[in-house]
Amino acid sequence: MFNLNDYPLPFRETELEPYMSAETIKFHYGKHLATYIANLNKLIADTKYANMDLREMIINSVGDTNAEKIFNNAAQIFNHEFFFNCMGRGNNAVPDIISDAFGGVTEFKEKFKTIANGVFGSGWVWLTHDAAKGFEIIATKNADTPIAHGIKPILTLDLWEHAYYLDFQNRRADFIETFLESLIDWKFVISNMNI
Ligand code: MN
């Protein structure tokens, strides 16, 4: 059984204001993530997935048309925990190791914005790292997640409407900009790199 308490927020609900409202966090974490967890618990009961951890479940269900709902809910739980952990306050300088890989801070941000703004419909934008390919910025659709494809995520931004609509309505580009400038906890991102 998965439980929302196993995925605690790394900040207080009000801590990201004025960049992300407590109202957004309340719905995004307390309703959307909670629903993915409740759905997954129902879907995996009495199946081969019941005793797997989240990562195993994602890797085993990707591409299996009979397990599409399990994949979607499991991947969304992983993606949301990762996303919430990417955010905080006060660690907003892009680390050299990342900006250097893109030719500078401005270049990194521009590339991230271009790819994020190019996502049509629901999805995610990711900074990933691979020993051979180095850092890359990629987008995934719906619940899809890099770990389903053996790719290591470093940073992610949720681009589903529920992630920003209360604060930004139709202004998704402003949400992307605000995330880059004021919401990323680079300390977490670096600690997660493990490279
Ligand atoms: Mn979301």
Side-chain angles (χ1 to χ4, degrees), residues 28 32-33 36 76 80 83-84 124 158-160 162-163:
H28 203 174
H32 289 277
L33 177 55
Y36 294 127
Q76 282 294 75
H80 280 87
F83 171 58
F84 289 128
W124 299 79
D158 188 342
L159 292 172
W160 287 52
H162 67 230

Side-chain angles (χ1 to χ4, degrees), residues 84-193:
F84 289 128
N85 276 292
C86 284
M87 292 189 293
R89 295 290 297 281
N91 299 296
N92 296 329
V94 182
D96 289 348
I97 187 171
I98 291 169
S99 55
D100 288 353
F102 292 90
V105 173
T106 309
E107 289 78 0
F108 162 72
K109 288 179 177 174
E110 285 309 313
K111 182 146 200 205
F112 191 95
K113 280 189 263 191
T114 300
I115 292 174
N117 281 310
V119 172
F120 185 80
S122 296
W124 299 79
V125 59
W126 305 82
L127 173 66
T128 62
H129 186 268
D130 176 89
K133 293 181 187 163
F135 291 104
E136 289 187 304
I137 299 170
I138 63 166
T140 58
K141 280 183 171 298
N142 300 315
D144 200 13
T145 184
I147 65 165
H149 311 284
I151 301 168
K152 182 178 171 54
I154 301 292
L155 169 73
T156 194
L157 172 60
D158 188 342
L159 292 172
W160 287 52
E161 271 189 359
H162 67 230
Y164 61 87
Y165 210 81
L166 293 174
D167 295 330
F168 295 90
Q169 294 81 45
N170 60 313
R171 294 175 289 110
R172 190 174 72 163
D174 291 352
F175 171 58
I176 293 164
E177 174 91 22
T178 300
F179 176 76
L180 278 171
E181 296 302 328
S182 308
L183 284 169
I184 300 171
D185 183 350
W186 285 108
K187 218 172 174 179
F188 164 79
V189 176
I190 294 166
S191 74
N192 178 60
M193 285 187 342

Side-chain angles (χ1 to χ4, degrees), residues 23-52:
E23 194 73 353
T24 288
I25 301 287
K26 213 171 273 178
F27 278 94
H28 203 174
Y29 176 79
K31 303 289 183 192
H32 289 277
L33 177 55
T35 300
Y36 294 127
I37 290 172
N39 287 345
L40 187 64
N41 283 331
K42 277 185 220 149
L43 288 164
I44 61 172
D46 304 319
T47 74
K48 67 172 181 181
Y49 295 99
N51 295 316
M52 293 184 193

